[in-house]
Amino acid sequence: MASWARPWPAVTQHLEAEPLNTTKHLLGIDGGGSRTRAVLAEMTPDGQVTVLGRGDAGSGNPLLAGHRQVLANLDSATAQAFSALPDPSIIVDAAVLALAGAGAAEESALIEQWVTANPRLSAYRLIPDWQPVLVAGTPDGHGIGLIAGTGSVAFGATADGRTVKRGGWGHWFGDQGSGYDLGRQALTAAAHAADGLAAATRLGAAIATHFDGATPDAISTLLARHDNPRRAIAALAPVVLDAAADGDDVAVNITENGARHLAGLVASVANALALDDGYPLALAGSVVCENAAYRQRVLDTLGQSGPVPGTVTRVEEPVMGCITLARHELLNTNTAWRDHA
């Protein structure tokens, strides 16, 4: 089993490619806090890529879901992706796994064991889950990426190899502006209203409706018994955003604070990398990608503080960045790959 030990590349779609003699197979896996997605693709000798199969499973973060569950989710997602193939003997020539929380030594070793035990994988790389967003959402892998889904993180890379990451601290003391953060603040507001510490608003009623009429006490019990409380809390984000759109003061305040923090993460990355106005910005994650009003609030806030992005791209499938990296590895085996922080 080969593992590419080289660090994060400065990827470009326009590099001189090494010719291939045969069709190759690529596997990309994107594992975040809530979901693991796998894509199996075929690359012809001229470098053209066609997706053959997809798979979807639960969390890909071993620090959140636990080692056993993440391995089960990897098995499920990859099995679904391979199910489209009529030939069970096909071997993956290059696999890129982008998994949240897998950077620590113990978790990295866990993933290595899983890959080694899979006879269909011949070479792989393990990278953080935020890196493919830049590859999939910017012209050459340089610029800034922002993920706001269950969690939140911003990151950037320059053509000369400098990289910076901001946020990504997890739900214990981070993830501001994320789906989890919006949901947690909404539940706190509902609890305060139940305690008589704040006035009840339409947001509280919307939360109760979301939980089938449950009271705050019952909601607490439901979350305690949930197999993934973090995901259940993050699922409240659309409720908060809808309430904000309807003018609920509490919801408006929560979303404004969240957007301000996300914009601050992006601005911090831009300033740390000394980027000027016009850099490409890639957005990923359900909260910032699926709600136009929240996304625009983030961009408007960023525009007031700067530097201001140029092109803004929503990355609907970050896992395709993994496929691009795998393709890059096979086509450009002699290309220098730069160090990253």
Side-chain angles (χ1 to χ4, degrees):
M1 174 67 60
S3 173
W4 307 321
R6 287 171 293 181
W8 171 241
V11 176
T12 175
Q13 302 291 332
H14 310 294
L15 295 175
E16 191 69 25
E18 295 288 333
L20 297 176
N21 296 321
T22 61
T23 294
K24 302 292 184 180
H25 290 89
L26 319 174
L27 178 67
I29 299 178
D30 173 44
S34 297
R35 181 174 296 177
T36 300
R37 286 180 171 170
V39 167
L40 179 67
E42 177 183 82
M43 182 172 68
T44 55
D46 62 356
Q48 298 301 309
V49 172
T50 302
V51 173
L52 301 177
R54 285 181 165 86
D56 196 19
S59 174
N61 188 332
L63 298 178
L64 292 175
H67 291 182
R68 181 178 300 180
Q69 186 60 55
V70 165
L71 292 180
N73 291 338
L74 287 172
D75 285 338
S76 176
T78 54
Q80 293 172 49
F82 274 108
S83 65
L85 294 180
D87 184 356
S89 66
I90 287 178
I91 300 298
V92 170
D93 300 280
V96 173
L97 291 77
L99 303 179
E106 182 178 354
E107 282 67 37
S108 179
L110 175 79
I111 302 305
E112 181 178 358
Q113 292 171 11
W114 178 82
V115 174
T116 302
N118 193 323
R120 305 187 76 165
L121 306 183
S122 61
Y124 77 101
R125 286 190 65 204
L126 176 62
I127 61 176
D129 68 324
W130 48 265
Q131 291 181 338
V133 174
L134 275 183
V135 178
T138 64
D140 56 6
H142 307 137
I144 297 179
L146 172 67
I147 298 176
T150 303
S152 63
V153 63
F155 42 88
T158 62
D160 60 4
R162 293 175 295 124
T163 64
V164 167
K165 180 172 76 74
R166 296 288 187 262
W169 297 109
H171 66 289
W172 295 115
F173 54 89
D175 283 347
Q176 286 87 351
S178 68
Y180 174 84
D181 182 53
L182 299 182
R184 181 192 60 79
Q185 290 192 63
L187 289 171
T188 298
H192 286 172
D195 288 336
L197 302 176
T201 70
R202 285 172 291 174
L203 176 60
I207 293 172
T209 299
H210 176 82
F211 286 103
D212 297 325
T215 64
D217 280 341
I219 292 172
S220 179
T221 300
L222 288 170
L223 292 174
R225 293 174 177 171
H226 199 281
D227 61 346
N228 192 331
R230 182 171 176 263
R231 183 175 60 190
I233 292 172
L236 280 170
V239 176
V240 181
L241 294 169
D242 287 346
D246 289 339
D248 182 273
D249 290 340
V250 174
V252 168
N253 185 59
I254 291 173
T255 57
E256 286 181 347
N257 287 338
R260 189 177 303 113
H261 184 82
L262 295 179
L265 290 177
V266 174
S268 180
V269 171
N271 290 327
L273 294 175
L275 298 182
D276 296 324
D277 290 346
Y279 60 86
L281 175 62
L283 303 177
S286 59
V287 176
V288 75
C289 283
E290 295 178 7
N291 189 282
Y294 191 54
R295 180 172 63 254
Q296 193 58 51
R297 193 182 296 271
V298 173
L299 296 176
D300 289 345
T301 304
L302 184 58
Q304 296 168 7
S305 58
V308 180
T311 58
V312 178
T313 303
R314 285 187 290 165
V315 180
E316 303 294 347
E317 278 194 297
V319 67
M320 294 307 297
C322 297
I323 294 295
T324 298
L325 283 172
R327 175 184 182 276
H328 174 87
E329 172 66 21
L330 292 178
L331 290 177
N332 301 281
T333 55
N334 296 321
T335 301
W337 289 32
R338 297 184 172 92
D339 291 332
H340 68 94

